[in-house]
């Protein structure tokens, strides 16, 4: 007696479902943190870290964690030197404010 279940189809369906779930989990930024390098590559088209600090962190002080923002230690201070960025909140803020950033701004020596 033949089987009523197409095992090949079932295997492919399960594999596709698992792959999709893993991709969603990987893409989910909930609870993830970035350093300045990851932030600038993911959200700032590779702008330099000094450019990001000057034209995003300095120009928009609301991004500072102390003011309810997504970046801890935007600049080195006696309180801390390591910049920590909450990835999900950073992406949401960048999406909302992308047109307010002067992407053509230049660092002057």
């Amino acid at each position: 007696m033949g089987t009523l279940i197409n095992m090949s189809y079932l295997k492919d369906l399960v594999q596709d479902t698992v792959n999709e779930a893993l991709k969603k989990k990987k893409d989910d930024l909930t609870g993830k943190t970035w350093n300045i390098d990851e932030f600038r590559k993911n959200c700032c088209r590779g702008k330099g870290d000094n450019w990001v600090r000057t034209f995003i962190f300095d120009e928009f002080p609301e991004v500072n964690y102390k003011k309810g923002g997504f970046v801890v230690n935007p600049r080195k201070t006696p309180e801390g030197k390591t910049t920590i960025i909450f990835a999900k909140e950073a992406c949401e803020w960048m999406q909302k404010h992308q047109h307010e950033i002067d992407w053509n701004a230049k660092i002057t020596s």
Side-chain angles (χ1 to χ4, degrees):
M1 176 180 222
T3 175
L4 297 176
I5 298 174
N6 182 332
M7 293 305 285
S8 177
Y9 174 78
L10 183 60
K11 179 183 173 192
D12 290 344
L13 179 65
V14 169
Q15 186 65 49
D16 291 346
T17 303
V18 169
N19 287 342
E20 183 64 28
L22 291 173
K23 182 180 183 322
K24 283 181 182 177
K25 182 165 176 55
K26 182 182 176 198
D27 293 343
D28 183 12
L29 297 175
T30 303
K32 292 187 180 177
T33 59
W34 287 334
N35 61 29
I36 185 76
D37 194 49
E38 291 168 310
F39 173 71
R40 68 182 195 80
K41 288 178 181 175
N42 284 293
C43 295
C44 303
R45 302 250 353 209
K47 295 282 191 182
D49 60 345
N50 194 34
W51 189 97
V52 170
R53 291 182 200 282
T54 301
F55 297 111
I56 297 178
F57 299 167
D58 293 350
E59 288 291 318
F60 301 93
E62 71 266 23
V63 303
N64 191 317
Y65 181 75
K66 290 181 179 179
K67 296 181 180 180
F70 61 83
V71 59
V72 178
N73 303 321
R75 297 256 181 205
K76 292 178 184 175
T77 68
E79 294 175 348
K81 64 179 184 174
T82 302
T83 300
I84 302 167
I85 297 161
F86 299 105
K88 183 175 181 179
E89 290 85 351
C91 289
E92 291 168 355
W93 188 92
M94 290 296 288
Q95 181 65 38
K96 185 176 178 183
H97 297 277
Q98 65 185 343
H99 296 292
E100 299 168 37
I101 298 167
D102 182 359
W103 294 102
N104 294 314
K106 305 277 189 235
I107 298 287
T108 56
S109 302

